[in-house]
């Protein structure tokens, strides 16, 4: 197809989409792009264009490229549902795309439950991002119009509350409109299945294959927004009793010992401009944590996320305000939730992290954020101790992902609990049979799978606060508890190396290059095994389905997992070293082991960067 013919085809598709767009804002946005794309500088034949004419041409070219990207296909629906920048066009998040997605999901549910009564039931929730409420209302309107019962959460609320509601109301599906910790310009559409559609241990969890592909196929069959009926009323807006029920269920994690000493713990909390602040404060307060300071600049939901470059607790600078408040107020613990409150970051004052770099900062005073694997180990140990007291349920299992630390497996073994390794993502972790605790290193923790079959930052925060309070009552800290784990199981230290690519084709090429020419040593230790994860692996651990990536095992216990990111244009490498620690090692000896492990991890990172060509 010639350039002119390709442009005419694109222009026709843009005009057809505009005519079908239910949102005047995105329709006008596309009209303006189309106008700019059709600009043509008036250059006399044989003359050289001047600066103004060149600027007009560049503007037109940029507009055409932008339109070509927006119309490169329908935004892909996968196991994460939908996620993308809010803008007009099929390859963006907007009302037209959401209405099509809701229609496809509705057709899938009606097909799955064909002939059964009552009709499908769906719970719909939303956060405080741009257009979230509108996307939720569009979903309710589409599903109500075809006879599906829709229960709409009463206001912007955390993702864990939606996951809780799917199970509480025995819903056949749940929809959460959120982009979690993505940049401010994004939004997303997350789908859960339960009720009569999924009846095994994955009931109420996020979708996995083949359901994602089946829903995507139904979405692809929707010819236009105009063809989708939408009701103007008929759904049920739930009351605040659903929040009350979630809070009550979560409070079941607070034991009597923690409640008795909770008031002595000073906590700094930040919801990072998200929707978790009020619910988290209520849960903590009703569990006895009355000394909670909320970062004022980040307390209220704000779709602009004005105080952070990237609203993810893992990103540099995201929790600096919380750490500063903690240092100023002499806090014992910092808890940071991501914007939809399904992730929880924990920061503590660690004397060994004291630095002279940057005077008068929280970091200089020793404040640091715990790595997700450190928090996962602490929570796993806390759950193991609770099971020892309350009794272990039949088939009880701990679960962690292939990129998370192996320390949880050691904690489970010592507790007599089965450990299951899964692919990355809570869509896999949360459906492990007999799950009592699961986590992955990206700050996701499932501590109450009976009520929330997903990661839940609020319940994790409550469990961490309880542990910190009990430790403080005995004159100890979370850092001391980490040292105890090192004495019992060895010191596990994890880190990450990542490479971002503008050219997406370089991502599989980079993984393939490391697969073909893996490093022969990691920090001086010989690599004894290279496991191609794309073939399905680890039969001795129960077996894993194929996933893109590979694992390197070294003779000293060092492990590296290399895989493409599922959400970003990156290749990510997850590093872990294990340093032996004597059971009776004193604080200085544990500190020395931690220092040596850090040196080894840095050396491994250097070898991995070399292997990636960085």
């Amino acid at each position: 197809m010639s350039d002119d013919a390709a442009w005419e085809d694109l222009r026709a598709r843009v005009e057809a989409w505009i005519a079908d767009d239910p949102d005047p804002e995105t329709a006008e946005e596309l009209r303006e792009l189309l106008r700019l794309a059709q600009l043509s500088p008036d250059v006399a034949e044989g003359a050289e264009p001047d600066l103004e004419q060149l600027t007009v041409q560049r503007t037109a070219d940029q507009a055409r490229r932008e339109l070509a990207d927006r119309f490169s296909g329908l935004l892909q629906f996968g196991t994460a549902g939908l996620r993308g920048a809010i803008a007009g066009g099929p390859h963006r998040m907007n009302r037209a795309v959401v209405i099509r997605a809701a229609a496809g999901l509705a057709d899938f549910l009606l097909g799955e439950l064909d002939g059964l009564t009552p009709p499908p039931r769906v719970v719909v929730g939303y956060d405080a991002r741009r257009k979230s409420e509108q996307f939720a209302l569009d979903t309710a309107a589409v599903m109500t119009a075809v006879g599906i019962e829709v229960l709409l959460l009463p206001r912007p609320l955390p993702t864990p509350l939606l996951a809780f509601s799917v199970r509480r109301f025995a819903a056949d599906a749940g929809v959460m409109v959120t982009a979690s910790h993505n940049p401010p310009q994004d939004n997303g559409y997350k789908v859960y299945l339960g009720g009569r559609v999924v009846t095994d241990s994955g009931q109420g969890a996020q979708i996995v294959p083949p359901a994602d592909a089946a829903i995507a196929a139904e979405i692809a069959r929707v010819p236009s927004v105009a063809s989708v009926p939408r009701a103007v009323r008929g759904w049920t807006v739930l009351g605040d009793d659903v929040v009350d029920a979630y809070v009550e269920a979560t409070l079941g994690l607070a034991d009597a010992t923690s409640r008795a000493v909770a008031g002595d713990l000073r906590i700094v909390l930040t919801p990072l401009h998200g929707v978790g602040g009020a619910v988290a404060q209520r849960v903590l307060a009703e569990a006895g944590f009355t000394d909670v300071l909320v970062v004022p600049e980040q307390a209220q939901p704000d779709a602009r996320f004005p105080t952070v470059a990237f609203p993810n607790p893992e990103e540099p600078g995201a929790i600096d305000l919380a750490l500063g408040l903690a240092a100023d107020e002499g806090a014992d613990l910092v808890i940071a939730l991501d914007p939809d409150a399904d992730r929880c970051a924990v920061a503590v004052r660690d004397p060994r992290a004291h630095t002279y770099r940057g005077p008068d900062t929280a970091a200089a005073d020793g404040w640091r954020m715990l790595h997700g694997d450190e928090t996962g180990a602490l929570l796993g140990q806390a759950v193991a101790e609770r099971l020892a007291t309350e009794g272990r349920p039949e088939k009880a299992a701990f679960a962690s992902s292939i990129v998370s630390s192996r320390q949880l497996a050691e904690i489970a073994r010592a507790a007599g609990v089965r450990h299951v390794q899964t692919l990355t993502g809570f869509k896999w972790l949360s459906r492990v049979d007999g799950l009592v605790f699961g986590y992955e290193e990206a700050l996701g923790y499932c501590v109450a799978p009976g009520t929330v079959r997903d990661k839940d930052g609020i319940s994790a925060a409550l469990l961490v606060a309880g542990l910190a309070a009990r430790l403080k009552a005995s004159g100890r800290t979370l850092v001391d508890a980490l040292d105890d784990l090192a004495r019992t199981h060895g010191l596990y230290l994890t880190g990450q190396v990542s490479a971002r690519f503008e050219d997406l084709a370089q991502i599989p090429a980079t993984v393939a290059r490391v697969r073909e020419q893996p490093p022969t040593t990691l920090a001086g230790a010989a690599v004894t095994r290279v496991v191609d994860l794309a073939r399905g692996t680890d039969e001795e651990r129960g077996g894993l389905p194929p996933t893109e990536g590979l694992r390197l095992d070294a003779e000293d216990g060092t492990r590296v997992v290399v895989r493409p990111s599922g959400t970003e244009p990156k290749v990510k490498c997850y590093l872990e070293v294990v340093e032996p620690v004597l059971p009776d090692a004193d604080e200085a000896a544990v500190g020395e082991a931690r220092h040596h492990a850090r040196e080894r991890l840095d050396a491994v990172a250097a070898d991995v960067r070399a292997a990636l060509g960085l």
Side-chain angles (χ1 to χ4, degrees):
M1 186 183 293
S2 68
D3 288 346
D4 287 344
W7 163 243
E8 289 303 321
D9 174 70
L10 175 59
R11 186 175 67 174
R13 288 188 287 124
V14 173
E15 290 173 342
W17 185 273
I18 291 171
D20 193 44
D21 195 335
D23 189 336
E25 180 181 337
T26 49
E28 181 56 36
E29 179 187 295
L30 289 172
R31 286 191 193 95
E32 177 62 12
L33 272 176
L34 198 56
R35 183 189 70 80
L36 294 174
Q38 296 178 103
L39 292 175
S40 180
D42 186 15
V43 182
E45 185 175 353
E48 290 293 324
D50 60 24
L51 182 60
E52 183 177 346
Q53 292 166 334
L54 286 172
T55 301
V56 170
Q57 188 60 58
R58 279 197 297 269
T59 299
D61 291 343
Q62 289 170 356
R64 289 193 181 196
R65 286 194 296 270
E66 177 67 14
L67 286 172
D69 184 52
R70 292 191 185 197
F71 284 78
S72 57
L74 196 62
L75 192 63
Q76 186 176 2
F77 187 94
T79 50
L82 298 170
R83 195 169 289 186
I86 301 171
H91 201 58
R92 297 291 189 270
M93 276 295 296
N94 51 66
R95 291 186 63 197
V97 166
V98 165
I99 288 168
R100 288 167 177 262
L105 176 58
D107 287 342
F108 168 80
L109 293 172
L110 292 170
E112 289 291 301
L113 302 177
D114 185 30
L116 299 180
T117 56
R121 171 182 288 173
V122 177
V123 186
V124 179
Y126 56 99
D127 66 10
R129 284 178 179 263
R130 284 183 54 224
K131 296 188 181 288
S132 283
E133 184 176 9
Q134 182 62 64
F135 293 165
L137 289 171
D138 283 333
T139 300
V142 169
M143 294 190 170
T144 300
V146 293
I148 292 174
E149 180 189 7
V150 176
L151 307 178
L152 183 67
L153 294 187
R155 60 180 182 278
L157 286 166
T159 292
L161 211 143
L162 182 279
F164 167 80
S165 297
V166 172
R167 291 175 67 86
R168 174 174 171 77
F169 295 106
D172 299 299
V175 172
M176 183 67 194
V177 181
T178 180
S180 189
H181 55 276
N182 271 39
Q185 65 268 24
D186 287 4
N187 213 326
Y189 198 84
K190 186 180 293 187
V191 177
Y192 298 75
L193 293 177
R196 295 162 293 173
V197 177
V198 173
T199 57
D200 59 15
S201 58
Q203 189 175 59
Q206 295 177 52
I207 55 173
V208 294
D212 57 340
I215 296 169
E218 294 292 350
I219 295 171
R221 292 190 184 98
V222 179
S224 65
V225 173
S227 70
V228 178
R230 283 179 279 157
V232 295
R233 65 182 65 85
W235 53 88
T236 299
V237 179
L238 296 169
D240 276 349
D241 55 337
V242 67
V243 181
D244 298 339
Y246 169 81
V247 170
E248 182 181 358
T250 305
L251 287 170
L253 296 169
D255 60 84
T257 304
S258 298
R259 287 176 179 270
V261 296
D264 296 327
L265 190 78
R266 172 163 286 191
I267 300 171
V268 165
L269 171 70
T270 176
L272 287 183
H273 303 293
V275 294
V279 179
Q281 284 177 265
R282 179 179 168 187
V283 167
L284 289 168
E286 293 190 20
F289 295 94
T290 53
D291 194 359
V292 177
L293 308 173
V294 181
V295 177
E297 300 92 335
Q298 299 172 335
Q300 297 303 314
D302 189 333
R304 299 169 302 156
F305 302 102
T307 68
V308 291
F310 201 103
N312 180 349
E314 291 184 294
E315 290 293 321
I319 66 167
D320 281 359
L321 286 174
L323 295 180
L325 182 60
D328 288 347
E329 298 294 336
D332 302 296
L333 183 69
V334 170
I335 293 172
L337 304 174
D338 74 337
D340 70 330
D342 65 350
R343 286 175 169 84
C344 171
V346 177
V348 296
R349 187 174 179 276
D350 182 352
R352 289 186 297 237
H354 176 85
T355 176
Y356 291 101
R357 295 178 183 175
D360 300 324
T361 66
D365 199 34
W367 279 93
R368 71 173 181 93
M369 193 172 87
L370 297 184
H371 192 279
D373 284 317
E374 292 179 302
T375 303
L378 289 170
L379 288 172
Q381 182 63 29
V383 173
E385 291 172 1
R386 188 184 71 205
L387 294 178
T389 302
E390 299 175 358
R392 189 168 66 246
E394 187 180 358
K395 296 182 179 179
F398 284 1
S400 53
S401 67
I402 57 172
V403 299
S404 300
S405 172
R406 292 161 290 175
Q407 188 169 35
L408 186 66
E410 293 303 308
I411 293 170
R413 181 188 55 76
V417 176
R418 181 168 55 99
H419 176 261
V420 179
Q421 189 182 62
T422 75
L423 299 181
T424 56
F426 266 82
K427 58 185 177 284
W428 302 110
L429 282 161
S430 60
R431 59 199 336 114
V432 167
D433 190 30
L435 184 70
V436 292
F437 172 68
Y439 95 95
E440 64 178 357
E441 52 78 43
L443 307 181
Y445 313 98
C446 180
V447 299
T451 53
V452 175
R453 210 74 182 175
D454 198 4
K455 54 187 177 295
D456 181 352
I458 296 172
S459 59
L462 177 61
L463 213 59
V464 167
L467 175 59
R470 294 193 303 273
L471 287 164
K472 183 180 180 181
S474 60
R476 308 179 78 236
T477 68
L478 293 176
V479 175
D480 295 321
L482 287 170
D483 287 354
D484 288 345
L485 288 172
R487 294 181 184 101
T488 304
H489 305 292
L491 197 154
Y492 288 73
L493 191 65
T494 55
Q496 192 178 124
V497 169
S498 63
R500 180 181 288 273
F501 295 90
E502 295 295 330
D503 180 2
L504 298 186
Q506 290 299 311
I507 295 175
T510 299
V511 176
R513 185 171 64 250
V514 179
R515 181 182 286 115
E516 292 164 6
Q517 295 181 313
T520 56
T521 61
L522 293 169
V527 173
T528 56
R529 189 181 183 197
V530 179
V531 180
D532 187 351
L533 300 177
R535 298 179 179 177
T537 55
D538 284 350
E539 293 78 7
E540 72 276 12
R541 303 183 193 182
L544 285 172
T547 185
E548 184 56 40
L550 61 150
R551 192 185 77 225
L552 311 174
D553 297 329
E555 62 182 355
D556 64 350
T558 296
R559 184 198 67 177
V560 173
V561 177
V562 182
R563 64 185 298 273
S565 170
T567 57
E568 301 174 277
K570 290 181 176 180
V571 173
K572 290 188 173 182
C573 305
Y574 302 83
L575 326 176
E576 182 171 45
V577 298
V578 185
E579 188 75 16
V581 177
L582 294 174
D584 60 350
D586 60 15
E587 182 178 332
V590 177
E592 181 60 30
R594 198 172 295 277
H595 176 73
H596 188 238
R598 170 56 59 187
E599 290 182 333
R600 288 176 56 201
L601 195 70
D602 290 345
V604 172
D607 289 340
V608 169
R609 288 190 186 95
L612 292 176
L614 301 181

